[in-house]
C-alpha cells in the first residue's frame, strides 16, 4: 500500500534502501548475565550455589572472595576486576569442573590438606575406614576435590566413635558406596 500522494510504500523503501544494510543475526542468542560472590576453597574450587556445582580457580586465589558472572552457558570468575578463568556452565549437582593447571598439586604446592594426612588419620580409626578413604581419594582425577568428603567422614568418629565409624565404612564398601552422603 503506497503512501498518500506517493508512488512508494514502506515495503518498497525497505527493499530499496534498508535491506542491503542489514547484517545477518548472530548465530548465538544473546544471554543475560548475572553475578554472585563466592570464596575459593582450599581444594582450589568455588561452590556455585545456583547449580550446586564446583568450578576451579587458580590456586593462588585460595581463600579469596571472587565475583562470579554467569549466563546460561558460561561461568566467568573475577578477582578485583581481573578475569581469573571461565568455564562452560555445568549443571551436574555436586560435580566438579576442573582445569588441571588450577590445582595446587600440579604446581607442587603444599597445602595443609594432603592425601597422606587423611589416609593416616583413617588408619587410626580402622582398616575399613582406611580402605574407604583410599577409595574416595582414588575416585577423583584431582585428590583435592575429595578432601571435604574425607573430612566429613573422619569427623564422624567424634560423633559416633571409631568402632561404629569403621563398621559403617565396612558396610559402605560392601555396597560400593564411596561418598559422604548419609541419611540423618
Amino acid at each position: 500500500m503506497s503512501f498518500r500522494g506517493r508512488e512508494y510504500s514502506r515495503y518498497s523503501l525497505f527493499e530499496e534502501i534498508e535491506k542491503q544494510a542489514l547484517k545477518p543475526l548472530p548465530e548465538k542468542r544473546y544471554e543475560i548475565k548475572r553475578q554472585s560472590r563466592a570464596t575459593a576453597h582450599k581444594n582450589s574450587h568455588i561452590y556455585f550455589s545456583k547449580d550446586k556445582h564446583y568450578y576451579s580457580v587458580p590456586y593462588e586465589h585460595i581463600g579469596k572472595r571472587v565475583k562470579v558472572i554467569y549466563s546460561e552457558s558460561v561461568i566467568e570468575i573475577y578477582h578485583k576486576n581481573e578475569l581469573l578463568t571461565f568455564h562452560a556452565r555445568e549443571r551436574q549437582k555436586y560435580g566438579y569442573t576442573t582445569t588441571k593447571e588450577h590445582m595446587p598439586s600440579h604446581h607442587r604446592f603444599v597445602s595443609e590438606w594432603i592425601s597422606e594426612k587423611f589416609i593416616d588419620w583413617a588408619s587410626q580409626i580402622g582398616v575399613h575406614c582406611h580402605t574407604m578413604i583410599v577409595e574416595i581419594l582414588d575416585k577423583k582425577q584431582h585428590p583435592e576435590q575429595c578432601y571435604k568428603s574425607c573430612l566429613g567422614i573422619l569427623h564422624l568418629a567424634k560423633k559416633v566413635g571409631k568402632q561404629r565409624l569403621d563398621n559403617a565404612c565396612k558396610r559402605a564398601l560392601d555396597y560400593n558406596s564411596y561418598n559422604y552422603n548419609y541419611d540423618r
Side-chain angles (χ1 to χ4, degrees):
M1 180 176 195
S2 298
F3 288 120
R4 280 192 190 161
R6 314 263 177 181
E7 294 179 11
Y8 53 86
S9 66
R10 286 187 175 108
Y11 183 74
S12 63
L13 283 176
F14 168 77
E15 287 286 326
E16 182 181 328
I17 299 171
E18 296 175 354
K19 190 172 183 178
Q20 65 267 10
L22 290 178
K23 295 179 182 173
L25 290 172
E27 289 183 27
K28 188 176 177 186
R29 287 181 66 128
Y30 177 78
E31 293 184 0
I32 296 173
K33 292 188 175 185
R34 293 177 170 44
Q35 68 177 341
S36 67
R37 294 256 175 217
T39 301
H41 298 288
K42 290 184 180 186
N43 67 357
S44 202
H45 287 76
I46 60 148
Y47 177 68
F48 183 61
S49 60
K50 305 280 186 267
D51 298 334
K52 297 181 179 178
H53 193 82
Y54 295 89
Y55 295 93
S56 68
V57 295
Y59 74 92
E60 299 90 351
H61 298 282
I62 289 173
K64 295 181 182 170
R65 293 281 294 163
V66 294
K67 183 192 304 183
V68 180
I69 297 180
Y70 60 97
S71 66
E72 284 298 311
S73 62
V74 177
I75 300 277
E76 300 170 9
I77 303 170
Y78 293 83
H79 181 257
K80 295 186 178 178
N81 296 323
E82 174 191 348
L83 177 64
L84 301 178
T85 189
F86 66 91
H87 298 280
R89 189 167 174 187
E90 299 287 337
R91 289 178 172 76
Q92 177 193 8
K93 285 187 178 181
Y94 307 108
Y96 283 83
T97 299
T98 305
T99 302
K100 188 171 132 181
E101 291 76 21
H102 292 169
M103 301 308 294
S105 59
H106 182 265
H107 293 278
R108 297 188 197 105
F109 176 78
V110 179
S111 172
E112 62 189 65
W113 290 4
I114 56 173
S115 299
E116 290 77 21
K117 177 180 178 180
F118 294 117
I119 293 169
D120 290 344
W121 186 357
S123 296
Q124 295 170 9
I125 293 171
V127 175
H128 303 295
C129 188
H130 172 266
T131 306
M132 179 74 157
I133 296 299
V134 169
E135 289 290 335
I136 290 172
L137 290 169
D138 287 344
K139 195 173 162 191
K140 296 283 186 182
Q141 183 180 4
H142 303 287
E144 293 86 352
Q145 295 173 345
C146 310
Y147 289 171
K148 280 191 166 189
S149 292
C150 291
L151 270 178
I153 290 169
L154 294 170
H155 278 295
L156 285 173
K158 291 179 184 175
K159 291 181 182 178
V160 300
K162 290 181 179 183
Q163 184 61 46
R164 190 167 173 203
L165 176 58
D166 197 48
N167 290 339
C169 288
K170 180 186 183 318
R171 189 168 187 187
L173 290 167
D174 290 343
Y175 287 105
N176 293 323
S177 178
Y178 305 115
N179 59 32
Y180 174 64
N181 295 342
Y182 69 100
D183 295 326
R184 292 178 187 218

